[in-house]
Amino acid sequence: MALLEVRDLQVEFDTPDGVVRAVRGVSFDVAKGTTLAIVGESGSGKSVATQTITGLTRGARISGSAVFDGAELIGADAATLRRVRGAEIGMIFQDPLSSLHPYYTVGWQIVEMIKAHDRSTSKGAARKRAAHLLSLVGIPRAEFRIDDYPHQFSGGMRQRVMIAMAMALDPALLIADEPTTALDVTVQAQVLGVMRTLQQEFGTAIILITHDLGVVAEMSDEVVVMYAGKVMERAPRRTLFYRHHHPYTEGLLASLPARGEPGERLTPIAGSPPSLLRLPKGCPFAPRCRYAFDKCLVEAPPLATVYQDDDHESACWLSAEESVREGQRVVSDEQEATA
Amino acid sequence: MLRFLIRRTALGAVVLWLISMLVFALFFVAPSDVARTLAGRQATPETVALIQHRLGLDLPIWRQYLGFVGRALRGDLGYDYYHQVPVTTIIATAAPVTLSLVVGAAIMWLSLGVFNGVMSAIRPRSSLDRGLTVFALFFYSMPSFLLGLLLLYFLYFQLTLAGITIFPPGGFAPLSDGVVPWAQHLILPWLTLALVSAAIYTRLTRGSMLDVLGEDYIRTARSKGIPERRVIVRHGLRSALTPVVTQFGIDVGALLGGAVVTETVFSLPGIGKASIDALTQQNQPVIIATVLLASTAVVIANIIVDVMYAVLDPRVRLH
Ligand SMILES: Nc1ncnc2c1ncn2[C@@H]1O[C@H](COP(=O)(O)OP(=O)(O)O)[C@@H](O)[C@H]1O
Ligand code: SF4
Ligand SMILES: [Mg+2]
């Protein structure tokens, strides 16, 4: 059994403009000690989906299931969620400056985490552990910096502090929501390196949320591609990069910066995601899809196995036969060239 | 920190000096008939001139001013024109009244406002939030003299008619007479002053708290698995209090110079009452003293507020 099994997760917000359907039936597994990457453009529901698992989504209508280590978390009572949060599931967020409390020292914030779950730890011991964690994530002179405030650290160092705090109680799962998006490229690599080292040392499973396929290539075992609140494609990393099925994945890959030219996007997907208030009837990607045909506009494709590979699913009406799908790719390229 | 305090104290002294000159100038520009009033209806011009001379009012304005500053620096604020009482004595008698009124009311409105504001912000748009909002708007839109009179009508007049005498109609009993009479005299004035401010502080705390609860670090606090109450108080309120403390310092500073309306409604012989009396009587020494006292309170309150800012928020550096 997987460490985390999410099934048919749905999250809706009532807003003055109408119902925002942020997550529409998402399912995935995370196995012990592995990394699942969730990719997708901003607004596709990645943050809402993962925060709902730990009960951090407020004011929403939620259904579905998320079984963590044998226990259902959706609809769990406050005490259960509190025990799981921090101790079993650590979380880090996109912007480490706004995610750390500006009024408390980093040491205080880590000690609070430790003491929240282990009252028997003395303050001195918790502090020692905090200093050790800070040095573990590569903060120089950790025993002095422990009494500094978040604003006294650089962006990369702050994210290391967040990682140290999230890993303080050796959680089985770390949810990292765009942990490097706010950092510049060289620092990104260092922070990812820290996460990987800790994962190897502690055997932590990671859900890594990103919209950067470069990060996916570097870190993940398994990938889920999300679009408009739904899973578009799910596959092991190599499969996703070399034998992807979904046109949206194809678009994301085509927009990857070329090797050696960081930051330069080749061909971003034209158009923008649909409004979650007024979702199209058929495939949500249809308005931007170069392969779209009649059926796409009337009926939404289910997530189904493709290429006769049980580990590979795609929500697209295009052929599940690999040779046919490759043929469609060529035809479409030719049509584009003549157009 | 020390340099900040020295600089701000010096700046405050300059402000007070400017204000003292301004008050003097205003008094000169609008000359009064104090001497004539004191001399009585049938006084000869000679008598009036004599009185004017005795009060030093025949001297040029700058000599009067220098004399005032020289004496003030030695702790002598001159004498009341009418009763020949030292102004320092008048202030010393009135100050405890205003201090009792303001401190008591401030504790009430701060605790009530912050508590209600937090309760509102935890569940925005709930019936509790709506109820507290109505409560706040009701008192917010009510002039304090009206609130004071209503309290007097119902809690003094009607209760007394019904044979229940808890509250006196007004006046002041010093703490040295005992806590109970002191509080009995002050409860209605406290309520008058506190309910209006509590309304403002409820709205202020609610808004500030709502902003803070939307911050990323609150989500982080929840993701750590600490109890919700601790998230609200230690993480949320701690940040939300900064603007509240600022407003509090400014309000208390302003009121220490005299809560004119409340003091008048409840005949409390405080600084506010003394200022109004002095103004209507053109009692220059008392006017100057009360204006300077009020300004000093505001200046000190502002320094304290700035220091509190740095104490509350480690990102703020004083310089
Ligand atoms: N509290 C909320 N109320 C209403 N809509 C929300 C709320 N939180 C998120 N959303 C909406 O849900 C959608 C998905 O958001 P999110 O999960 O943050 O996307 P991602 O992390 O993939 O960028 C967005 O359109 C966002 O506007
Ligand atoms: S279902 Fe149709 S529109 Fe949607 S991705 Fe596949 S081909 Fe494109
Ligand atoms: Mg997000």
Side-chain angles (χ1 to χ4, degrees), chain A residues 246-247 283 285-286 289 291-292 296 301 316-318:
Chain A
H246 202 283
C283 171
F285 189 58
C289 181
Y291 304 101
C296 306
C316 173
W317 290 126
L318 292 175

Side-chain angles (χ1 to χ4, degrees), chain B residues 87-112:
Chain B
V87 172
T88 45
T89 308
I90 296 180
I91 299 292
T93 324
V97 181
T98 298
L99 199 66
S100 299
L101 172 64
V102 172
V103 169
I107 293 173
M108 271 188 184
W109 91 57
L110 186 67
S111 37
L112 196 65

Side-chain angles (χ1 to χ4, degrees), chain A residues 13 15 20 22 41-48 276:
Chain A
F13 298 97
T15 70
V20 172
E41 283 165 295
S42 146
S44 51
K46 310 180 295 291
S47 300
V48 171
L276 298 176

Side-chain angles (χ1 to χ4, degrees), chain B residues 141-219:
Chain B
S141 49
M142 179 170 295
S144 52
F145 78 88
L146 182 62
L147 177 60
L149 290 176
L150 285 175
L151 286 175
L152 269 181
Y153 178 75
F154 287 109
L155 294 180
Y156 160 69
F157 189 66
Q158 292 293 345
L159 273 188
T160 309
L161 278 188
I164 310 165
T165 316
I166 309 173
F167 303 111
F172 181 72
L175 249 183
S176 51
D177 289 4
V179 175
V180 175
W182 174 75
Q184 260 176 341
H185 281 83
L186 283 168
I187 285 179
L188 297 185
W190 279 339
L191 282 176
T192 305
L193 209 51
L195 284 177
V196 175
S197 297
I200 299 170
Y201 280 69
T202 301
R203 301 307 290 166
L204 185 66
T205 308
R206 179 184 185 273
S208 170
M209 195 70 186
L210 276 178
D211 286 347
V212 170
L213 289 180
E215 292 281 349
D216 288 349
Y217 56 76
I218 296 298
R219 184 182 57 197

